Amino acid sequence: HYYLDVMCRGFYTNTCLAKQEQLGGKLIIDEGDEEILRKGTVDFIGFSYYFSSIVSYQRDGSINAKGRNPYLELTDWRWHIDPLGLRVALNELYDRYQIPLFVVENGLGSKDSLEDGKINDYYRINYLRSHLRELSKAINEDGIEVLGYTSWGCIDLISASTGEMKKRYGFVYVDMDENGQGSLKRIPKKSFYWYKEVIASNGRTL
């Protein structure tokens, strides 16, 4: 909220100023800065959503955000699969700021296997389908204004979070291994054809 409060409301809230003081910072504001900040608020919020986290306080007062939620499945990289969390995030942001939202990233990183020239990634379809259903509920049942949704990503590429090629997100498989070896051939996955129908039907076909 620290960043969004400033960008959406056009001023530093008490919480923002208190946090700066705790960190020993001093905000330098020149004449005219506050007016510029007020006039420069954003028209919508774009955000990425992949998973939810369990947060707990430790005995020493620190915070642990790597707890295991026993009610959720995990990805190959042990990220919680929590489509309901997307709906919760949409509701929280919209209730707080009352401006349109845009889901700019959402997807599943997994170890895809090429078998007989095909990639049957039903697990990716299930992940995206469940998240899109919750997005639809947020729009149609909760009344949230959502400008759009884009998945991550269209084609396999090196994962920015881990630097691995084997952590694949795309609808299109790229024949390349961890050492940069391979034909670089592009092969549409099962999810490619499924998502093509999702786009063509504007989300009615899931």
Side-chain angles (χ1 to χ4, degrees):
H1 292 149
Y2 182 100
Y3 302 103
L4 288 176
D5 277 356
V6 179
M7 293 188 292
C8 296
R9 295 177 174 174
F11 62 91
Y12 286 90
T13 64
N14 291 337
T15 302
C16 293
L17 296 173
K19 186 64 176 178
Q20 291 174 15
E21 187 173 335
Q22 291 170 14
L23 296 173
K26 181 174 176 58
L27 189 62
I28 299 174
I29 301 177
D30 294 327
E31 184 178 353
D33 285 352
E34 291 179 332
E35 183 181 358
I36 292 171
L37 196 57
R38 279 196 303 272
K39 291 181 177 179
T41 54
V42 297
D43 298 317
F44 67 93
I45 298 171
F47 71 99
S48 304
Y49 180 86
Y50 291 94
F51 60 92
S52 60
S53 298
I54 293 293
V55 178
S56 59
Y57 289 97
Q58 307 302 299
R59 290 182 178 179
D60 63 359
S62 63
I63 296 176
N64 176 29
K66 297 182 179 180
R68 170 75 171 96
N69 187 333
Y71 301 101
L72 297 175
E73 296 181 14
L74 297 173
T75 70
D76 291 339
W77 273 262
R78 301 190 63 76
W79 288 5
H80 291 110
I81 299 175
D82 187 6
L84 181 58
L86 174 58
R87 186 177 179 183
V88 170
L90 288 162
N91 272 275
E92 182 177 332
L93 290 171
Y94 197 68
D95 284 349
R96 188 176 180 92
Y97 301 111
Q98 290 87 47
I99 59 175
L101 307 176
F102 198 125
V103 182
V104 296
E105 287 185 29
N106 175 237
L108 175 69
S110 63
K111 300 174 183 177
D112 295 334
S113 298
L114 182 62
E115 298 177 5
D116 298 324
K118 298 179 180 179
I119 301 96
N120 294 314
D121 57 338
Y122 292 104
Y123 41 87
R124 180 169 291 106
I125 293 173
N126 291 336
Y127 175 96
L128 292 170
R129 177 188 288 126
S130 63
H131 283 74
L132 286 170
R133 281 177 175 163
E134 293 301 325
L135 177 65
S136 178
K137 290 176 184 177
I139 296 168
N140 298 311
E141 296 179 24
D142 304 336
I144 295 173
E145 186 178 0
V146 179
L147 296 178
Y149 169 94
T150 51
S151 66
W152 183 268
C154 295
I155 190 169
D156 287 345
L157 71 166
I158 296 172
S159 171
S161 62
T162 65
E164 298 172 294
M165 188 64 197
K166 64 184 178 183
K167 187 179 184 184
R168 298 175 181 270
Y169 285 90
F171 296 117
V172 178
Y173 182 89
V174 177
D175 181 26
M176 190 175 82
D177 62 19
E178 293 292 279
N179 300 312
Q181 302 300 310
S183 67
L184 301 183
K185 182 179 179 181
R186 272 68 163 161
I187 304 171
K189 304 175 189 178
K190 189 77 174 179
S191 60
F192 173 91
Y193 301 102
W194 170 81
Y195 197 58
K196 181 180 178 180
E197 290 300 315
V198 172
I199 294 172
S201 67
N202 196 29
R204 289 186 295 274
T205 301
L206 290 176

